Amino acid sequence: MTNTDISEAETRKLLIDKALLKAGWGPIVPFRPGTKYTQGSVEEYPTKNGLADYILFFKGIPLACVEGKRVRIGPQNVLQQAKRYARGFEAGPQSFGDYHIPFAYSTNGKIFWFQDLRDPLNLSREVAGFHTPQALMEMLKKNEAEAKKWLRDHEIDRVHLWPFQIEAITAIEQDILSRKRHMMVAMATGTGKTFTIFNLIYRLMKSGYAKRILFLVDRRALAAQAVTTAASFEAEPGLKFDQCYEVYSQRLRREDLDEEIKFDPKVLPGEYLTNPNSRDSFVYISTIQRMRINLFGFEGMFSAPGDQDDDSDASKMDIPTHAFDVIIADECHRGYTAQEESRWREVLNHFDGIKIGLTATPATHTKAFFKEIVYSYNYERAVREGYLVDYDAVAIQSDITLRGVFLKEGEEVGLINTETGQLKFEILEDERELPAPTTEINWTAPDRNRKIVQEIKKYLLEQERQISHFPKTLIFAQNDLPHTSHCDQLVGLLREEFNRGDDFVQKITGSPSVDRPLQRIREFRNRQNPGIVVTVDMLSTGVDVPKIENIVFLRPVQSRILFEQMMGRGTRLCPEIHKTHFTVFDCFNGTLLEYFRKTTGITAEAPVKATRTIREIVLAIANNQDREYNIGVLSKRLHRISKNTTQEGRFQFEYILGCDIAEFSKTLHERLERAWSKTIKTLQSDAFLDLCENYPRPEKKFIRANGAEDSVYSRIIFRAKDGRELGPQDYLQEFEKFVKMNPEHIEALEVLLKKPKEFDPKQLKALRETLATKPDHLVDKFNEKNLHRAYNKELADIISMIRFATKGGELLTVEQRVNKALMKVKSDRSFTEEQNKWLELIRRHLIENLLMEKEDIERLPIFTREGASWNKLNKVFDGKLDEIIHEVNEAIAA
């Protein structure tokens, strides 16, 4: 008999009683008239409306009514029966509207539903199990109305928070005040989610609404970042947050934290988890992996991609469901496989607290859990409002990346043993194709990587020349596998090409070969070196390095969530280096940017389905679960093994199966029909299952195509407002069309083209602003920087570019245009030596600003440093300075 077949009475004895005792509701006793109950669960308690299955007492107070049903019955609607008994209970010391008991449960021993009956607006909810007596007493005594009043009456800090951060806190608090218990906040990477949420945490704790808060992250780097926020956020005048409330974290090393942070990461005392006390107020920062070990042990554990956090000191603990009032899941989009998502949900579902998910990239599986996005602040709006920077794009095309490599007979290739790293060379005896999708997985072409690095180098050195510092660059590589690491290959090439020492280029991954990766991240953020970092996944999420000015995609990405997180490494503002934008290098000829342009903001991608083990499939067949389907799955798995095992492996399978594994896989269905017991016994034998998991495999060779030559070039990509990506020629065609079609709609453009004598500095300023922000043209920005890049003429002046777009002709630089204008003015006048000295200053000013106005002489350093004033210079030019400036401006605009 299975659990689903047992009666209600058996369900109560086998399952519900056990759950009550585990939560501390013992002893379980039958009702006896006239008995005064102080502690425990009283069965078959009579009420006006019938017999309640259990009434739960603590310190003489009846706290909850429980209705139990057999496993086959879903308990959600059964809660109505428990509420009926709570209304009919007559021995309660106080009333709560129609009810005489404050809380109610319904359960089938597997699923538990709970409702706080003290307010008719409180909704029922599923919980992981019965609350402890202490939890219900704490709930009963909590002055929630007073806490909510505090939140309503106290204004959110408007000094240190940006307006949208205030909006986010307001939205979350409004949902909390409306009794919502699941919510998600979607804020673009770089907009300060952690700082925002710590402001919220402070308000919740200060108001008394929450005392114990769990802040979950998915890797130690993010735990260190949250600790840093807590230690640097000034919650009250002169007091940091961690000076107002206790902040605990899992074990962090000193080097995990910024040097200026004076924080001693305190490890949470075990009793804070196992025996929550209403007097304690604290925040606990933990990885979700560690918390899962604390709740369920090491069985079924998962790890974050690219992370090597050591949780060997963690252990399973008896943590009650009320251990935390609020649970915050940072980067809650994480969980790229169904198995990870399942483990992630197990942790969150265990706790009966308000659950807030934080992410920059909401996905369907996270939205399904958190139910509602209460606030959203996307990247486009953040850029528009000036809180994040926009990006330029460069497409790098490599023939090998697009087409792979075709090797001819007689060519020499290197073969790397993926287990030992040993390299040997071999002459091909036949031609061989290396397909593009498997580059850096099964083979590599060093010339491809070198030429891509050389192409990127051109841009980085040009940026360094323009901005007077080396732009920090983050490169995403395909992998960091032992002996065939794409990261290592790129690090070597970058060090050779830039020749600035090993410290200038560093690898930061979760590989054991990287010493103290969190310290390396901190150095990347705070120091000059490294200037270039190569990673795979470790820096894709949540890591804050505002100085990053270049993102390089040298690995294919299929997940929009991961792509947006990677892009987010470059979006942050950095006033320290006057960062205006970042550059994205798409090393797949722009196809990555084009692919993700077509997907939606909230991606519909679900977590990747985890592959079941052969043991699980065999067990399903033995239990007749979806039998035909699972037999087919097992047959395919065995056929796949037959194609991947060695001759020794085939012999071992033949010894166990009595025939070749390929033959066995083909006839599996027939064998099970003809000899079920014998075949199932074979399939469930340890010898067969162990061999399926550890069968001998041929030695894997990684090919290094040293002789393959690549052809690599790049092009700048411009983004249109309709999402299209334009090359330079397409962009200039849009500009030409815009200039020709809009003179009558844009005054400054009309003046320049039709009445150039009236074109003055105010018109120039208006024209520049219009080109950069005009909302109704197809291309997002026609600013001078983009036009310089499209024309491939960095110093061309805006007037020349507009005239070139309308009439063709010569593209002049600013200096050429200014010199030409001054020559015209000088040809009509004669100037003294002193006047020519001042004209040289005016020339230099015009090269920077193109046009000039009277006020410039009084306010700009180029003139004031020389002791100039309008009256002084006007006297030098015999009272004709105004006339001369007008002539120069007119000549420039002509």
Side-chain angles (χ1 to χ4, degrees), residues 206-481:
K206 186 73 174 177
S207 68
Y209 191 88
K211 291 192 172 186
R212 302 179 299 271
I213 294 181
L214 175 61
F215 192 98
L216 287 172
V217 295
D218 81 322
R219 56 184 62 185
R220 200 176 83 236
L222 300 186
Q225 195 162 291
V227 165
T228 299
T229 300
S232 56
F233 159 44
E234 188 171 313
E236 296 178 6
L239 292 175
K240 304 299 186 186
F241 180 88
D242 64 327
Q243 295 170 316
C244 297
Y245 297 102
E246 290 182 288
V247 176
Y248 295 96
S249 73
Q250 63 184 92
R251 296 186 187 279
L252 295 174
R253 294 191 288 258
R254 174 68 261 177
E255 61 270 15
D256 293 342
L257 304 171
D258 286 344
E259 293 165 352
E260 65 272 14
I261 296 300
K262 296 178 181 178
F263 179 76
D264 178 20
K266 294 176 285 189
V267 177
L268 187 74
E271 61 268 22
Y272 275 42
L273 290 175
T274 58
N275 186 26
N277 191 308
S278 61
R279 294 188 302 273
D280 299 326
S281 293
F282 64 90
V283 176
Y284 178 43
I285 300 165
S286 170
T287 62
I288 197 164
Q289 295 92 329
R290 188 181 188 86
M291 182 52 67
R292 190 184 182 280
I293 294 170
N294 290 154
L295 291 172
F296 308 112
F298 281 92
E299 186 178 349
M301 266 307 299
F302 63 94
S303 60
D307 210 3
Q308 297 292 326
D309 291 349
D310 182 10
D311 288 316
S312 59
D313 62 319
S315 60
K316 186 176 180 180
M317 306 169 75
D318 187 13
I319 303 174
T321 60
H322 73 292
F324 296 100
D325 305 313
V326 175
I327 299 91
I328 294 161
D330 193 20
E331 305 295 350
C332 67
H333 60 275
R334 299 287 288 185
Y336 297 136
T337 71
Q339 184 184 36
E340 284 176 350
E341 188 209 348
S342 172
R343 303 291 186 262
W344 171 83
R345 283 175 178 252
E346 284 174 355
V347 173
L348 293 177
N349 282 333
H350 175 80
F351 296 108
D352 182 38
I354 290 170
K355 292 160 181 120
I356 304 171
L358 307 179
T359 184
T361 49
T364 50
H365 64 283
T366 45
K367 192 169 183 290
F369 180 85
F370 290 102
K371 295 184 173 64
E372 182 183 2
I373 299 177
V374 297
Y375 183 75
S376 180
Y377 188 73
N378 62 30
Y379 172 66
E380 288 73 20
R381 181 183 163 193
V383 170
R384 191 168 62 248
E385 294 178 354
Y387 295 109
L388 293 178
V389 297
D390 203 355
Y391 69 90
D392 293 336
V394 175
I396 293 182
Q397 178 171 320
S398 149
D399 284 352
I400 286 178
T401 302
L402 293 177
R403 301 181 182 88
V405 170
F406 187 81
L407 299 173
K408 297 177 183 177
E409 180 183 344
E411 285 194 53
E412 183 183 73
V413 296
L415 297 178
I416 300 172
N417 185 310
T418 58
E419 295 296 322
T420 66
Q422 185 178 9
L423 171 65
K424 67 177 183 178
F425 294 92
E426 185 176 284
I427 302 298
L428 292 180
E429 297 183 35
D430 195 1
E431 56 190 28
R432 180 168 187 174
E433 183 179 2
L434 304 178
T438 60
T439 181
E440 306 307 337
I441 300 172
N442 296 330
W443 61 274
T444 186
D447 192 59
R448 164 189 176 264
N449 288 314
R450 180 174 295 280
K451 284 181 176 169
I452 289 175
V453 164
Q454 289 171 343
E455 192 68 18
I456 293 168
K457 177 185 173 185
K458 296 177 191 174
Y459 287 89
L460 302 192
L461 294 182
E462 176 59 23
Q463 289 176 17
E464 183 178 35
R465 187 188 68 78
Q466 291 180 6
I467 60 181
S468 302
H469 66 262
F470 188 84
K472 283 194 178 286
T473 300
L474 181 61
I475 298 176
F476 288 104
Q478 174 74 46
N479 58 57
D480 188 24
L481 300 173

Side-chain angles (χ1 to χ4, degrees), residues 514-784:
V514 179
D515 180 42
R516 296 186 172 177
L518 298 194
Q519 184 175 338
R520 301 287 86 79
I521 293 172
R522 194 159 52 78
E523 290 168 355
F524 189 37
R525 179 169 58 244
N526 299 329
R527 299 181 184 178
Q528 183 176 350
N529 279 341
I532 300 173
V533 160
V534 183
T535 189
V536 179
D537 269 319
M538 193 169 192
L539 275 76
S540 65
T541 299
V543 175
D544 182 4
V545 185
K547 291 180 183 177
I548 290 175
E549 295 184 81
N550 293 294
I551 302 290
V552 179
F553 285 96
L554 249 169
R555 58 166 289 188
V557 181
Q558 295 178 318
S559 162
R560 178 176 179 85
I561 293 175
L562 185 57
F563 177 76
E564 288 187 358
Q565 289 289 328
M566 289 172 163
M567 289 283 284
R569 299 314 102 209
T571 59
R572 287 172 171 81
L573 297 172
C574 190
E576 180 186 342
I577 60 171
H578 309 291
K579 181 176 171 182
T580 59
H581 67 285
F582 70 104
T583 302
V584 179
F585 293 86
D586 181 345
C587 297
F588 299 88
N589 195 29
T591 56
L592 274 184
L593 291 169
E594 175 64 16
Y595 172 76
F596 287 111
R597 177 183 71 78
K598 296 175 180 177
T599 58
T600 59
I602 298 180
T603 174
E605 62 185 278
V608 178
K609 294 294 181 187
T611 303
R612 290 184 299 161
T613 65
I614 284 182
R615 288 178 187 271
E616 291 172 325
I617 297 167
V618 169
L619 183 61
I621 294 171
N623 288 329
N624 282 319
Q625 293 175 5
D626 208 353
R627 178 170 158 176
E628 294 300 313
Y629 169 75
N630 282 305
I631 291 172
V633 170
L634 181 59
S635 176
K636 287 182 179 178
R637 290 283 186 91
L638 296 178
H639 184 65
R640 197 179 307 156
I641 290 173
S642 75
K643 294 195 294 183
N644 287 293
T645 191
T646 61
Q647 184 180 37
E648 179 192 352
R650 298 187 86 93
F651 287 153
Q652 291 179 27
F653 275 111
E654 188 170 345
Y655 178 78
I656 294 169
L657 301 173
C659 66
D660 185 76
I661 185 174
E663 174 65 21
F664 185 84
S665 69
K666 288 179 188 175
T667 59
L668 178 60
H669 191 281
E670 179 187 334
R671 288 169 184 269
L672 285 167
E673 289 293 324
R674 189 177 66 243
W676 170 265
S677 297
K678 179 183 176 183
T679 308
I680 278 292
K681 186 176 180 181
T682 300
L683 292 176
Q684 290 188 301
S685 68
D686 287 339
F688 174 74
L689 292 172
D690 289 343
L691 185 58
C692 285
E693 291 171 351
N694 303 295
Y695 61 87
R697 294 163 171 82
E699 186 180 274
K700 185 180 178 184
K701 297 292 186 182
F702 183 83
I703 299 172
R704 195 162 78 182
N706 295 317
E709 292 191 8
D710 201 3
S711 176
V712 173
Y713 68 91
S714 60
R715 71 183 194 282
I716 296 164
I717 296 174
F718 299 92
R719 286 174 294 139
K721 289 186 80 70
D722 61 2
R724 289 177 300 130
E725 291 174 352
L726 309 175
Q729 289 305 314
D730 298 323
Y731 178 84
L732 291 174
Q733 285 176 9
E734 294 286 353
F735 176 61
E736 182 179 324
K737 190 189 307 180
F738 171 76
V739 169
K740 288 179 177 178
M741 292 175 63
N742 280 287
E744 63 276 17
H745 304 301
I746 300 172
E747 181 185 353
L749 192 57
E750 184 178 30
V751 170
L752 176 63
L753 295 176
K754 297 182 179 178
K755 296 176 280 185
K757 290 184 179 182
E758 299 176 19
F759 194 71
D760 59 24
K762 290 184 178 61
Q763 298 283 358
L764 176 62
K765 181 181 178 183
L767 179 60
R768 282 173 166 154
E769 288 176 352
T770 299
L771 291 176
T773 61
K774 185 73 175 167
D776 56 356
H777 53 68
L778 283 174
V779 175
D780 192 16
K781 292 178 182 176
F782 284 131
N783 56 34
E784 286 173 87

